[in-house]
Amino acid sequence: MTVTVARSVPEALQALAADPPPEVLAGGTDFMVEVNFARRRPEAILAVSRIDALGQWQQSDGQLRLGAGVTYTQLLEPPLAELAPALAQAARTVGSPQIRNAGTIGGNLVTASPAGDTLPVLLALDAEVELASAQGTRTLPLEAFLLGPKRCARRPDELLVAVRFPAPFGRQEFVKVGTRNAMVIAVASVCVVLDPGTGQVRIALGSVGPTPLRARAAEAYLAEQLVPQGTGPTATSAFELRDGDAALAEVRRLVAEAAQPIDDHRSSAAYRRHAVGVCVARALERLLRPAPGAALGEVAA
Amino acid sequence: MTVLERPRRATRGVGVSAPRPDGVPKVRGQFQFSSDLFAEGMLWGHVLRSPHPSARIRRLDVGPAWAIDGVRAVLTAADVPGAPTYGLEIPDQPVLAADVVRYMGEPVVAVAADHPETARRAAAAVLVDYEPLDPLVDPEDAISAPPIHPDGNVFRHLRIEHGDPEARGEVVVEGTYEVGMQDQAFMGPESGLAVPAEDGGVDLYIATQWLHVDRDQVARCLGLPLEKVRLHLAGVGGAFGAREDVSIQVHLCLLALATGRPVKMVLSREDSFFSHVHRHPARIWLRHQADRQGRLVRVDARVLLDGGAYASSSTAVISNATAFATGPYRVPNATVDGWVVRTNNPPCGAMRGFGAVQACFAYEAQMDKLAAALGMDPVQLRLANALRHGDTLITGQRIEGSAPVAQVIEAAAGAPLPAVGPEALPDVALPGGAGRTATRSRVRRGVGFAVGYKNLMYSEGFDDASEARVRLELAEDGPLATVTCAAAEVGQGFVTLARQICEEELGVERVVLAPPSTARIGSAGSTSASRQTWMSGGAVAEACRAVAGRLLERAARRLGTDPGRLVLAEGAVQALEGADALSVAELLAEGPLEETVTFHHRQTEPLDERGQGDAHVAFAFAAHRAVVDVDLDLGLVKVVQIATAQDVGRVLNPLQVLGQIEGGIAQGVGLAVMEEIVLDQGRVRNPSFTDYLIPTALDMPDVAVAALVEEPEPGAPFGAKGVGEPPTISSTPAVVAAIRAATGLPLTRVPVRPADIALATPGDPRP
Amino acid sequence: MRYELVVNGTPREVDSSWLGESLLYVLRERLGLPGSKNACEQGECGSCSVLLDGRLVCACLVLAASAVGAEITTVEGLGGEGPEDLDPIQRAFVEAGAVQCGFCTPGLVVAVHDLLRRVPQPSEWEIREAISGNLCRCTGYGRILDAVQRAARAFAEQAVTR
């Protein structure tokens, strides 16, 4: 077995050009569990956690580009937490402080777990991923990147180098259900994003399908339902639903219908279906009538 | 005449919050746990386990394992030289499975290699051809199903018939309750080091609750005489019942003897879940009958425990679950049937609370149901029926010791409620925590109450003695007491208490504890059943008193007086009358003094064919009031506060009592809302800390200790009762009662899962 | 295969027969530093908490060979030289009764170091969230919370007297 510690992206891409390519180790929070439990016995490992460039981020033209090595802890801190509040809310629910210090957004994407906490947020933000190899760089929309449970479109010779999405962008809420108040895998999670300029809503669901899912029927229904509260001098930043509580109930129904949950040891399909409906309704209520500073929630100190 | 009183020191002796003697090495990372051991040239052991809950082994080929470089031993059932099976009460469990496996995780092959990864690879390379069989997984079916073991499927059936079988009450409530399989989930995984000895025997350094009973079982399986198998206690990372049975002990010794080299084994968390017993899942039916005033007239019950594949301590667990099925109440007439059976589920045995936990969840749900049927306050109903000193239990035993049940109920019920409601708590303190699921308007607060009890020490005629030796000598800087006792320190603080007792009895300032070992002293019995403070504490106290007596005799000879006219105090022997005094140091200059004693509690007796008998030594009681916040739509629960009062006899170390109470409540809260080994046709679905959830610091409520009721227990050293188990018993039903109060749902099973609340059918009857 | 790790300020040569070893395994079994504990080896208990370039991480999830060149601080690197020479956090754990079996203790001591360095006077809920990745099965966390609050006070007093 060999271990290569790359210090730059070109160095990493060169290593990945080997046949067969080495396995990529980032924060280690998923990879090392498999090694420790003898479920994975790599011949060659490429460690990318020491590539400084991967831990950087840039904002330009309304886009945020996060290097794949950005950790959950970085996402929790300003200014990233203000640029992408739902991502910060999701990051806060990942594992423990120890995991958040090591785990990376790139790792979350490549692991492609149906329960990956940042994935519904990135999906709701229409994120794109950048994949680099010695052959060049390609960009994929997230929906094309996430193929199934623990399956993604990265080729073995490619390195996921960054993820891009619009930021700052509208109002955002991430909500996650787990059976413990910390350090818990999501039983269900949702991200709802509202663009107050267009009244457009995007909804993504986690842990209720082979990959995170968009609830497009619910989004389309909401496009018809959402109206600004008050007009003219009484206009506020709040929205209301044309059909009020009945509309909220319909959203819950459409969201539950969009979910494709399974029964497992963490919960039942029926509960997951129910929970995503409740969570989307709650997230929507918060977004439609935001309390001052509420969009940020309380991001951890 | 001067009357000398034994001086009460603020920082030493019995009754003070003495710090743990092992605290400093533990905070520095220097305390040696069983996984920290090292020996020159040691190998690493690993055990291959069955992936099936029930299967025949058609063929076993260890050749591919031997082909791996660095492999030093590959052992199967054929390599066990002595008895092929072991067991705490009944030796029915194979060291290594020979022809059949009866639970998922059953050991099949033991391997030793140069590196742990090599050992794991070698185990994975062994070819085992299994013929999977339909597992027997329903304990109800097990009673009549074809036996899955030569010993049969019923470990024990026990029936209690008490009072008048015709007695009837006007108000009747009935219910069936279930308890899921809980795991002790100690932090330090099973681990140890076996070192082959020149005499052909073996020294085993191991984390356990009871060195001598392990030694007996290991020696039997190795086919060695007892003196050639020496067990030494290695640092124990928690126990809670899970280290009462043999797990890796025999495997380690077999591998060391086969290779002639030291062998270390440290289980992964997954293997840990498979290698120790769990709390018995239970199905309990109860029918309570009371008069209109709320006095219990009769209780009928049927208790069914799933013992899993092997016996472990099942026969004792069912005894408790049956005897305590009606709770700490006066029940003049009762019929209780208790069954514990064999299935192809993982073996179950001891866990903190030992049978009393399952019973309490059921009988306390019934008491609330009865209170509702009577239109009575649930606390008042409990008070009206609370046991007292002198009352008779359903086993016919009269309570001769203290039983301050009413006091613990009143104190816990009267504790102040939390100052703020969910509206004033931070988001992270609400149900769902950092997941931000809660909407405050949909969070409902509930309050619930429960009281429970349990026996202290072993029961039914078992004489679980403890031996201790105290040596008092003059060291360079003054008198030094050395305590030798095989009592296992598992975190509970016996090491602190043994020192406090020596300080109290001998007035010495320096006390050391010799490392517990079967090579040094006889059995101290198990660190379980809330018994070491009483039993080994008693043995240390008596040994101290014997040494003190010898000291007085020495002084009496020197002073030409009678020992009865002398007293030991303040590091000196002084005359009761007059000014004569000799320092302990002076007296020890003649040579050290050493005494070994064996302490016994009063003898108990077995239960007769009607389940009647003076079977228990003593009892301890506790009450809990739980406050919870429930997310009504998502079914998430945050336990906000547990107020408690406990019957402790006497407080010997306030800080350690508090630690036991808070820690015990954490395990009770865990069982109430999250902890369960999930089984699917005998397969464990969540053998990891990712999926077997125990409370984190964000889940644990505030614990308010409303009272420690000190009514000294007759016969108990210093009047103190064991305090470790009662906190775990009624905390679970109190939390569930609070969730019922918030939701109006019957909730007859623990742990309460979010779906049990969120997806409950509207119109479910209020309990 | 040989490589070098810097542990508690000292460069240490590691001679590893298998490069898949975690930092936890190397610390415990190759460098004689068993203070970091092995309760789950999957990042779900915090018993193996160490500081890696000043960041609190689980040593079980760090591939040891990838930590070449990083500064590693373990529980053995905290406190003073003498056997009774404790830092305020360690002292608070002993005095508050926060130690029972002690298996979670070293990891908690390291985690609390990280917390109090970032947030010198944390609220109760900040403490609870910061240590929520460190499982303890003995104490129910009550005395641990007390210990963290005592340590925070001790640091504040130290700062005043300076």
Side-chain angles (χ1 to χ4, degrees):
Chain A
M1 179 176 165
T2 62
V3 175
T4 306
V5 181
R7 301 281 170 173
S8 69
V9 172
E11 205 180 305
L13 298 185
Q14 195 186 359
L16 283 168
D19 186 24
E23 299 188 31
V24 178
L25 169 70
T29 55
D30 293 316
F31 192 120
M32 284 301 290
V33 175
E34 297 186 352
V35 172
N36 292 345
F37 282 46
R39 290 183 195 126
R40 186 165 178 165
R41 294 198 168 91
E43 284 301 313
I45 290 178
L46 174 70
V48 298
S49 56
R50 314 291 283 280
I51 301 176
D52 291 340
L54 289 183
Q56 313 287 319
W57 57 271
Q58 299 89 30
Q59 188 205 9
S60 59
D61 303 329
Q63 284 272 311
L64 189 61
R65 181 182 182 275
L66 297 175
V70 166
T71 63
Y72 302 111
T73 299
Q74 281 175 276
L75 295 175
L76 276 171
E77 288 162 358
L80 279 183
E82 283 141 21
L83 287 169
L87 209 49
Q89 291 161 354
R92 188 182 180 186
T93 71
V94 176
S96 60
Q98 289 87 332
I99 298 300
R100 301 197 279 272
N101 283 337
T104 64
I105 192 149
N108 211 213
L109 283 160
V110 171
T111 295
S113 161
D117 289 315
T118 65
L119 305 185
V121 181
L122 295 173
L123 191 62
L125 290 170
D126 268 341
E128 295 178 323
V129 298
E130 289 177 25
L131 293 157
S133 71
Q135 270 75 54
T137 299
R138 60 180 178 136
T139 300
L140 283 180
L142 193 59
E143 277 185 296
F145 176 75
L146 298 171
L147 301 178
K150 307 251 174 131
R151 286 194 308 120
C152 70
R154 184 188 81 91
R155 294 194 315 261
D157 67 328
E158 280 181 317
L159 183 67
L160 187 135
V161 289
V163 57
R164 294 191 312 233
F165 51 87
F169 186 81
R171 301 178 198 162
Q172 313 178 355
E173 275 284 327
F174 172 84
V175 172
K176 164 174 156 181
V177 178
T179 35
R180 183 161 74 176
N181 266 13
M183 203 161 52
V184 69
I185 308 252
V187 160
S189 66
V190 308
C191 180
V192 182
V193 173
L194 165 67
D195 181 348
T198 63
Q200 193 198 1
V201 172
R202 287 202 296 260
I203 299 171
L205 316 176
S207 282
V208 290
T211 62
L213 303 169
R214 282 279 290 275
R216 288 204 162 81
E219 291 174 5
Y221 174 75
L222 278 166
E224 304 293 316
Q225 281 288 326
L226 226 53
V227 287
Q229 197 178 59
T231 49
T234 64
T236 66
S237 64
F239 286 82
E240 53 195 16
L241 296 169
R242 218 182 287 280
D243 297 341
D245 286 350
L248 216 49
E250 178 64 4
V251 170
R252 277 179 65 165
R253 193 188 68 77
L254 291 170
V255 165
E257 211 171 81
Q260 306 164 21
I262 56 165
D263 285 318
D264 68 12
H265 54 280
R266 291 181 191 135
S267 193
S268 64
Y271 177 77
R272 288 184 159 109
R273 205 180 278 285
H274 167 82
V276 285
V278 172
C279 289
V280 166
R282 288 184 179 179
L284 256 184
E285 285 178 324
R286 292 175 200 171
L287 294 179
L288 297 182
R289 284 174 291 277
L296 258 185
E298 319 166 85
V299 172
Chain B
M1 177 179 145
T2 321
V3 177
L4 287 178
E5 284 188 342
R6 175 165 286 166
R8 300 287 328 161
R9 290 163 300 255
T11 57
R12 307 175 62 75
V14 163
V16 306
S17 288
R20 298 182 66 92
D22 57 10
V24 170
K26 282 177 174 174
V27 297
R28 293 181 65 103
Q30 288 167 344
F31 181 84
Q32 193 171 51
F33 288 94
S34 57
S35 51
D36 301 338
L37 302 167
F38 176 84
E40 215 48 63
M42 73 184 187
L43 302 171
W44 287 81
H46 186 78
V47 172
L48 176 69
R49 296 170 186 279
S50 165
H52 303 289
S54 176
R56 244 187 298 280
I57 298 175
R58 280 192 291 237
R59 205 171 67 88
L60 188 62
D61 180 4
V62 298
W66 275 113
I68 293 171
D69 202 30
V71 172
R72 307 294 169 183
V74 187
L75 306 180
T76 67
D79 300 305
V80 179
T85 56
Y86 66 88
L88 211 43
E89 289 165 357
I90 302 160
D92 68 343
Q93 182 156 5
V95 173
L96 293 167
D99 46 357
V100 292
V101 288
R102 295 188 183 87
Y103 71 98
M104 181 189 186
E106 180 158 355
V108 181
V109 176
V111 179
D114 295 346
H115 191 284
E117 166 68 6
T118 311
R120 283 192 292 267
R121 270 174 41 221
V126 171
L127 296 173
V128 191
D129 180 11
Y130 293 102
E131 179 194 345
L133 305 172
D134 276 344
L136 174 62
V137 294
D138 186 331
E140 198 68 67
D141 294 345
I143 297 173
S144 53
I148 57 170
H149 187 284
D151 292 355
N153 292 350
V154 177
F155 292 123
R156 190 175 182 187
H157 170 228
L158 148 91
R159 185 175 168 86
I160 291 172
E161 293 171 2
H162 184 69
D164 172 9
E166 303 303 319
R168 295 287 179 272
E170 288 176 83
V171 182
V172 183
V173 293
E174 187 174 338
T176 300
Y177 305 90
E178 285 185 37
V179 177
M181 185 182 283
Q182 190 180 19
D183 190 74
Q184 301 84 350
F186 48 52
M187 286 291 114
E190 288 86 348
S191 45
L193 177 73
V195 183
E198 284 183 1
D199 64 356
V202 62
D203 285 89
L204 177 63
Y205 300 82
I206 190 85
T208 179
Q209 289 175 238
W210 189 355
L211 287 166
H212 286 77
V213 82
D214 281 8
R215 189 265 320 260
D216 296 353
Q217 294 175 80
V218 171
R220 202 171 154 269
C221 295
L222 297 178
L224 286 173
L226 291 182
E227 64 276 11
K228 287 203 171 176
V229 179
R230 293 162 294 265
L231 265 71
H232 315 281
L233 188 71
V236 184
F240 318 114
R243 297 191 212 265
E244 247 187 37
D245 294 79
V246 161
S247 57
I248 58 171
Q249 285 86 331
V250 186
H251 305 135
L252 270 169
C253 293
L254 285 172
L255 292 169
L257 291 170
T259 59
R261 285 169 69 174
V263 178
K264 174 174 175 171
M265 198 176 332
V266 180
L267 296 194
S268 69
R269 180 54 55 180
E270 179 170 316
D271 281 349
S272 173
F273 273 103
F274 287 120
S275 76
H276 60 249
V277 297
H278 314 288
R279 190 190 296 291
H280 288 77
R283 196 173 299 161
I284 300 175
W285 169 82
L286 281 163
R287 187 174 59 210
H288 280 62
Q289 305 191 36
D291 66 19
R292 286 273 166 216
Q293 287 67 49
R295 281 184 297 259
L296 289 170
V297 176
R298 143 165 228 97
V299 178
D300 294 282
R302 181 174 183 270
V303 180
L304 174 63
L305 301 183
D306 182 352
Y310 297 106
S312 179
S313 48
S314 274
T315 56
V317 176
I318 191 62
S319 173
N320 273 8
T322 309
F324 306 132
T326 58
Y329 306 112
R330 281 186 303 278
V331 177
N333 311 290
T335 308
V336 186
D337 268 294
W339 296 83
V340 61
V341 298
R342 190 191 308 271
T343 65
N344 291 119
N345 291 321
C348 292
M351 183 175 173
R352 198 176 197 168
F354 203 85
V357 164
Q358 294 92 328
C360 187
F361 172 64
Y363 64 70
E364 284 300 87
Q366 282 285 105
M367 291 303 279
D368 283 347
K369 211 170 178 174
L370 183 60
L374 286 159
M376 219 173 142
D377 176 73
V379 172
Q380 291 307 317
L381 175 68
R382 287 170 170 88
L383 281 172
N385 291 284
L387 281 174
R388 286 182 300 238
H389 166 83
D391 282 343
T392 300
L393 303 173
I394 60 167
T395 49
Q397 178 170 354
R398 185 172 180 273
I399 301 182
E400 303 290 353
S402 71
V405 184
Q407 290 93 315
V408 297
I409 292 174
E410 281 171 342
L417 285 162
V420 296
E423 64 290 343
L425 289 170
D427 283 358
V428 78
L430 296 174
R436 308 176 68 260
T437 48
T439 286
R440 282 178 174 74
S441 61
R442 296 300 293 157
V443 173
R444 180 85 43 88
R445 183 156 282 192
V447 181
F449 195 86
V451 54
Y453 84 130
K454 188 186 174 292
N455 51 336
L456 302 174
M457 271 101 43
Y458 287 9
S459 297
E460 296 188 76
F462 193 88
D463 180 17
D464 55 336
S466 175
E467 188 170 303
R469 180 181 309 131
V470 171
R471 178 185 172 89
L472 188 60
E473 65 194 316
L474 190 56
E476 276 177 23
D477 43 357
L480 168 73
T482 304
V483 179
T484 305
C485 180
E489 171 62 40
V490 302
Q492 84 279 25
F494 178 72
V495 289
T496 323
L497 212 54
R499 283 164 60 119
Q500 289 179 264
I501 291 169
C502 284
E503 291 167 0
E504 181 79 19
E505 295 296 329
L506 295 172
V508 290
E509 293 188 3
R510 293 186 53 220
V511 183
V512 297
L513 272 66
S517 162
T518 61
R520 286 198 180 84
I521 192 147
S523 175
S526 178
T527 297
S528 62
S530 299
R531 63 178 288 288
Q532 288 297 21
T533 294
W534 184 316
M535 298 302 298
S536 293
V540 171
E542 285 205 352
C544 284
R545 286 168 200 157
V547 166
R550 298 264 310 275
L551 206 57
L552 296 189
E553 283 168 16
R554 228 177 233 190
R557 272 201 308 279
R558 290 239 214 136
L559 296 171
T561 181
D562 185 83
R565 308 177 76 86
L566 299 173
V567 67
L568 173 64
E570 294 285 292
V573 175
Q574 304 184 30
L576 282 171
E577 297 166 47
D580 286 341
L582 286 168
S583 76
V584 171
E586 271 176 275
L587 289 164
L588 290 174
E590 278 181 41
L593 292 169
E594 183 176 293
E595 288 289 337
T596 304
V597 304
T598 304
F599 184 90
H600 299 265
H601 57 66
R602 81 178 173 80
Q603 189 63 42
T604 61
E605 58 188 36
L607 295 172
D608 65 19
E609 69 284 352
R610 294 178 57 244
Q612 302 293 294
D614 186 12
H616 306 296
V617 181
F619 308 92
F621 306 85
H624 294 87
R625 187 198 63 202
V627 178
V628 303
D629 284 341
V630 183
D631 182 323
L632 297 173
D633 304 321
L634 290 172
L636 301 175
V637 176
K638 173 71 177 77
V639 184
V640 176
Q641 185 208 47
I642 303 279
T644 183
Q646 189 165 326
D647 155 40
V648 298
R650 183 175 163 205
V651 177
L652 302 186
N653 182 318
L655 200 52
Q656 289 197 169
V657 170
L658 181 57
Q660 287 297 310
I661 288 175
E662 290 177 330
I665 286 172
Q667 295 180 6
V669 167
L671 177 60
V673 297
M674 63 178 79
E675 290 187 33
E676 182 175 12
I677 290 188
V678 179
L679 294 168
D680 177 11
Q681 288 300 301
R683 284 173 203 277
V684 177
R685 301 289 305 276
N686 56 340
S688 73
F689 276 169
T690 306
D691 284 315
Y692 185 86
L693 301 181
I694 65 172
T696 72
L698 271 178
D699 300 286
M700 256 310 278
D702 270 337
V703 172
V705 179
L708 299 177
V709 179
E710 294 192 86
E711 280 189 8
E713 175 70 14
F718 307 102
K721 295 185 177 185
V723 298
E725 292 179 284
T728 308
I729 297 170
S730 41
S731 45
T732 304
V735 169
V736 179
I739 304 172
R740 288 188 196 110
T743 61
L745 296 168
L747 302 175
T748 56
R749 184 187 189 280
V750 281
V752 177
R753 295 156 295 200
D756 298 336
I757 298 168
L759 302 185
T761 321
D764 275 347
R766 176 82 179 82
Chain C
M1 188 73 77
R2 283 171 187 274
Y3 54 93
E4 190 182 274
L5 294 179
V6 181
V7 185
N8 300 325
T10 309
R12 301 286 303 270
E13 182 94 344
V14 180
D15 189 359
S16 206
S17 60
W18 183 56
L19 284 179
E21 289 169 0
S22 68
L23 177 60
L24 177 65
Y25 182 85
V26 167
L27 290 170
R28 291 174 50 77
E29 303 295 341
R30 301 211 178 275
L31 299 179
L33 294 169
S36 309
K37 292 289 171 258
N38 57 307
C40 79
E41 292 175 81
Q42 59 181 142
E44 295 279 356
C45 76
S47 305
C48 65
S49 297
V50 298
L51 299 172
L52 184 73
D53 283 334
R55 285 178 307 141
L56 181 74
V57 299
C58 290
C60 70
L61 299 183
V62 176
L63 183 74
S66 77
V68 172
E71 286 279 340
I72 299 154
T73 305
T74 71
V75 68
E76 289 95 341
L78 307 172
E81 296 293 315
E84 300 280 317
D85 205 359
L86 305 181
D87 71 25
I89 293 167
Q90 292 169 324
R91 178 162 298 114
F93 267 69
V94 174
E95 289 174 0
V99 180
Q100 288 189 30
C101 92
F103 206 84
C104 69
T105 306
L108 270 158
V109 166
V110 177
V112 173
H113 262 272
D114 177 65
L115 168 67
L116 295 184
R117 198 191 42 191
R118 291 181 294 110
V119 189
Q121 296 298 316
S123 69
E124 178 192 332
W125 289 102
E126 281 173 321
I127 298 171
R128 286 184 184 272
E129 189 164 5
I131 64 168
S132 63
N134 291 79
L135 295 179
C136 171
R137 192 55 159 168
C138 294
T139 66
Y141 307 101
R143 298 312 92 208
I144 293 172
L145 286 177
D146 184 39
V148 179
Q149 284 159 346
R150 282 177 190 231
R153 283 198 301 273
F155 278 123
E157 282 160 22
Q158 258 181 15
V160 169
T161 48
R162 274 180 203 153

